[in-house]
């Protein structure tokens, strides 16, 4: 009889940690005073939040005419940034829901941060369509309210309205999934915190968690149900965002490849942002034993695969434009690569297709400082992708007399930079008051010794 040796896996938690060690290490930033690194980072995020506030007030006071959009490029930085932030929000649901259903235990150290990132990114994304309406104070007209409110019902055939339903559903389910997963850890903090206010707040949000067998059974059941509900959202949300473009007749947009192409790009950019956050968090918060090199290796493999899929989609677009024989489609893609915005196109290709190929090498997948740099490169490239898709398809219309150039105004740039203030302010507050890593799931790995 042949005896086969089982493959030895790397430990998902290093340092021979006990359950009490896990609680102490992960709860330390919450129970102790803020560190100098946290204060510096939080201050910088508040500066960018101030930029957002100033830009937004100026837009509301003056009108969106301060943006550089024109009769040809009617969508500019605003929709570019909207799609960019929605894409970043994709990795959270993927890591939490899809990898949970596939029983991937390496997700346990990173799912909490990814879920929080999803919520904050969707908040940033929602800013742009809302303020793109111009008259925000009558924004409720976009809702299906009775005509007595002064407006006809919205056009349900519009993909822009599909966005409203898809993103609001995505945000609601993601928020619920994130909060449900937090309850056991909030109860742990409730029992550890000293201040009366802290005990009251954590006691309220822990919803009377006792840790009984029945409570854990219901918790795991609800988690699985929410994971099952969330998984289709990974595909639906960015599919619907891509349909905003694909249902039009604009050359370069009217293509059936957009839904899978956008989903792959969203996962690609989402994992890029997760890597950016966690490479820093594991060092600053001393989480190297919980967010290990193995976790970074797994994330970079997904970045490499999805980046390659996105690159194939870029090349497929060119092939289909040539194969179609449609001169307008052919010109749209030739203009992307060799027209006046060639620098944006080749920046996109370099960052999204060429750069991630370095992750074929183990050194690149296991070197934290290099992963951090590459994760920023990924998100820069994905922003350029959205800019290229939107602007290069619009700035040269069918009539040469309508050809215009477009660049973001100072207000548009300020609004975009300001959303990073919203995102990082929320993330720093999350890291200070809630566990960045799921303590209860990490302890289950310790018990199983996997």
């Amino acid at each position: 009889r042949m005896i086969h040796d089982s493959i030895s896996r790397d430990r998902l938690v290093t340092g021979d940690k006990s359950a009490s060690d896990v609680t102490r290490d992960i709860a330390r930033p919450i129970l102790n005073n803020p560190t100098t690194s946290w204060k510096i980072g939080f201050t910088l995020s508040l500066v960018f939040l101030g930029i957002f506030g100033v830009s937004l007030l100026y837009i509301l006071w003056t009108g969106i005419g301060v943006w550089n959009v024109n009769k040809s490029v009617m969508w500019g930085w605003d929709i570019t940034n909207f799609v960019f932030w929605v894409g970043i929000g994709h990795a959270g649901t993927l890591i939490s829901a899809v990898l949970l259903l596939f029983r991937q235990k390496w997700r346990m150290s990173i799912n909490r941060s990814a879920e929080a990132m999803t919520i904050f990114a969707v908040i940033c994304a929602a800013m742009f369509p809302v303020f793109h309406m111009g008259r925000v104070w009558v924004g409720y007209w976009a809702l299906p309210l009775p005509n007595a409110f002064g407006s006809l019902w919205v056009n349900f055939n519009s993909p822009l309205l599909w966005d409203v339903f898809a993103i609001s559903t995505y945000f609601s389910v993601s928020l619920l999934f994130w909060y449900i997963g937090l309850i056991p850890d909030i109860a742990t903090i409730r029992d550890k915190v000293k201040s009366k206010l802290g005990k009251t707040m954590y006691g309220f949000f822990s919803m009377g968690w006792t840790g009984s067998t029945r409570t854990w059974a219901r918790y795991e059941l609800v988690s699985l149900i929410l994971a099952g509900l969330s998984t289709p959202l990974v595909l639906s949300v960015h599919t619907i965002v891509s349909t905003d473009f694909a249902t039009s007749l604009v050359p370069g947009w009217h293509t059936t490849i957009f839904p899978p192409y956008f989903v792959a790009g969203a996962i690609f950019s989402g994992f890029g942002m997760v890597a950016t956050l966690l490479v820093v968090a594991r060092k600053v918060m001393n989480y190297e034993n919980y967010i290990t090199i193995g976790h970074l290796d797994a994330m970079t493999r997904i970045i490499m695969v999805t980046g390659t899929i996105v690159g194939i989609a870029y090349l497929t677009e060119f092939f289909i434009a040539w194969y179609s024989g449609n001169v307008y489609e052919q010109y749209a893609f030739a203009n992307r690569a060799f027209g006046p915005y060639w620098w944006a196109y080749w920046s996109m290709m370099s960052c999204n297709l060429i750069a991630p190929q370095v992750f074929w090498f183990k050194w690149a997948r296991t070197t934290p400082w290099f992963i951090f740099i590459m994760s920023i490169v990924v998100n820069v490239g994905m922003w350029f992708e959205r800019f290229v898709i939107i602007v290069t398809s619009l700035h040269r219309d069918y009539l040469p007399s309508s050809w215009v150039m477009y660049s973001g105004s100072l207000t548009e740039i300020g609004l975009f930079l300001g959303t990073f203030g919203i995102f990082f302010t929320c993330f720093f507050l999350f890291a200070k008051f809630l566990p960045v890593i799921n303590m209860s799931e990490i302890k289950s790995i310790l018990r199983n010794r996997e």
Side-chain angles (χ1 to χ4, degrees):
R1 187 174 62 178
M2 297 181 64
I3 299 175
H4 297 279
D5 293 332
S6 62
I7 298 173
S8 178
R9 291 183 176 181
D10 292 335
R11 295 288 296 273
L12 293 175
V13 178
T14 59
D16 292 323
K17 299 290 184 179
S18 65
S20 60
D21 292 332
V22 172
T23 302
R24 184 182 63 252
D25 293 344
I26 297 175
R28 185 187 298 116
I30 303 168
L31 302 177
N32 296 345
N33 292 326
T35 62
T36 303
S37 301
W38 186 91
K39 290 177 181 177
I40 293 171
F42 187 62
T43 302
L44 287 174
S45 66
L46 288 178
V47 170
F48 281 93
L49 185 60
I51 294 172
F52 176 81
V54 171
S55 302
L56 190 58
L57 287 173
Y58 183 64
I59 289 170
L60 291 175
W61 184 261
T62 312
I64 58 172
V66 296
W67 292 351
N68 281 347
V69 289
N70 48 59
K71 65 178 182 179
S72 294
V73 186
M74 68 283 193
W75 287 358
W77 273 52
D78 51 316
I79 303 298
T80 300
N81 300 333
F82 164 70
V83 182
F84 172 78
W85 280 113
V86 169
I88 284 177
H90 244 63
T93 304
L94 179 79
I95 291 171
S96 297
V98 180
L99 297 184
L100 172 64
L101 294 177
F102 281 94
R103 305 296 183 186
Q104 295 296 307
K105 294 186 177 181
W106 64 268
R107 61 174 275 285
M108 293 181 176
S109 291
I110 63 176
N111 65 331
R112 176 72 54 73
S113 297
E115 291 165 13
M117 182 195 75
T118 290
I119 294 162
F120 306 149
V122 172
I123 291 171
C124 292
M127 298 288 180
F128 291 98
V130 169
F131 293 103
H132 189 214
M133 291 189 296
R135 293 184 291 172
V136 183
W137 48 93
V138 292
Y140 64 90
W141 285 6
L143 302 176
L145 299 172
N147 292 343
F149 281 84
S151 65
L152 295 174
W153 275 27
V154 292
N155 179 12
F156 288 101
N157 293 321
S158 169
L160 292 175
L161 191 66
W162 306 346
D163 271 342
V164 174
F165 287 98
I167 292 171
S168 60
T169 304
Y170 182 64
F171 178 79
S172 303
V173 174
S174 297
L175 182 63
L176 183 60
F177 198 18
W178 179 61
Y179 176 63
I180 293 295
L182 274 167
I183 291 175
D185 287 359
I186 292 176
T188 302
I189 302 299
R190 172 199 65 196
D191 299 335
K192 294 285 184 181
V193 74
K194 301 296 183 184
S195 69
K196 186 175 180 180
L197 177 62
K199 282 193 175 294
T200 302
M201 294 301 295
Y202 288 112
F204 175 78
F205 286 107
S206 64
M207 299 180 69
W209 177 271
T210 60
S212 65
T213 303
R214 177 181 292 182
T215 307
W216 275 110
R218 289 176 176 172
Y219 166 81
E220 292 174 1
L221 177 62
V222 170
S223 296
L224 282 174
I225 291 172
L226 287 175
L229 291 173
S230 301
T231 299
L233 292 176
V234 176
L235 301 176
S236 70
V237 173
H238 230 57
T239 299
I240 290 174
V241 170
S242 69
T243 309
D244 294 348
F245 301 93
T247 52
S248 72
L249 297 177
V250 176
W253 289 3
H254 189 63
T255 171
T256 54
I257 200 175
F258 262 26
Y261 161 23
F262 267 49
V263 170
I267 296 169
F268 178 60
S269 61
F271 268 90
M273 184 60 83
V274 171
T276 303
L277 296 172
L278 293 185
V279 167
V280 176
R282 72 186 292 273
K283 186 68 177 177
V284 173
M285 304 177 77
N286 297 317
Y287 286 162
E288 287 96 340
N289 290 317
Y290 303 102
I291 305 171
T292 65
I293 296 298
H295 291 94
L296 300 182
D297 182 41
M299 287 191 288
T300 50
R301 287 171 188 263
I302 293 176
I303 289 172
M304 179 182 67
V305 170
T306 50
T308 304
I309 293 171
V310 168
I312 292 170
Y314 296 157
L315 300 177
T316 303
E317 284 184 311
F318 265 87
F319 172 77
I320 294 300
W322 166 78
Y323 188 72
S324 69
N326 186 318
V327 293
Y328 300 109
E329 287 285 335
Q330 291 171 354
Y331 179 77
F333 286 98
N335 182 53
R336 282 187 186 181
F338 307 109
Y341 289 107
W342 64 268
W343 49 271
Y345 179 83
W346 291 107
S347 296
M348 173 192 79
M349 290 293 284
S350 300
C351 294
N352 295 346
L353 174 59
I354 299 171
Q357 302 310 315
V358 300
F359 289 133
W360 284 101
F361 302 100
K362 187 173 183 179
W363 176 87
R365 299 197 306 270
T366 56
T367 306
W369 66 265
F370 184 76
I371 294 171
F372 177 75
I373 293 171
M374 288 303 301
S375 67
I376 294 174
V377 168
V378 163
N379 277 300
V380 169
M382 288 308 293
W383 187 90
F384 273 114
E385 180 204 278
R386 280 69 182 245
F387 180 84
V388 165
I389 289 172
I390 292 165
V391 175
T392 60
S393 294
L394 293 175
H395 85 112
R396 287 190 171 176
D397 205 345
Y398 292 100
L399 294 174
S401 59
S402 299
W403 289 6
V404 294
M405 294 296 290
Y406 167 81
S407 60
S409 68
L410 190 62
T411 309
E412 290 173 276
I413 295 170
L415 200 63
F416 176 52
L417 293 178
T419 52
F420 283 98
I422 297 174
F423 181 84
F424 284 106
T425 298
C426 292
F427 196 85
F428 276 111
L429 290 173
F430 157 69
K432 179 65 187 77
F433 294 106
L434 293 170
V436 173
I437 297 174
N438 193 321
M439 290 188 279
S440 58
E441 291 192 347
I442 292 294
K443 291 172 185 176
S444 71
I445 301 176
L446 295 179
R447 286 197 298 271
N448 294 333
R449 293 298 176 191
E450 290 181 15

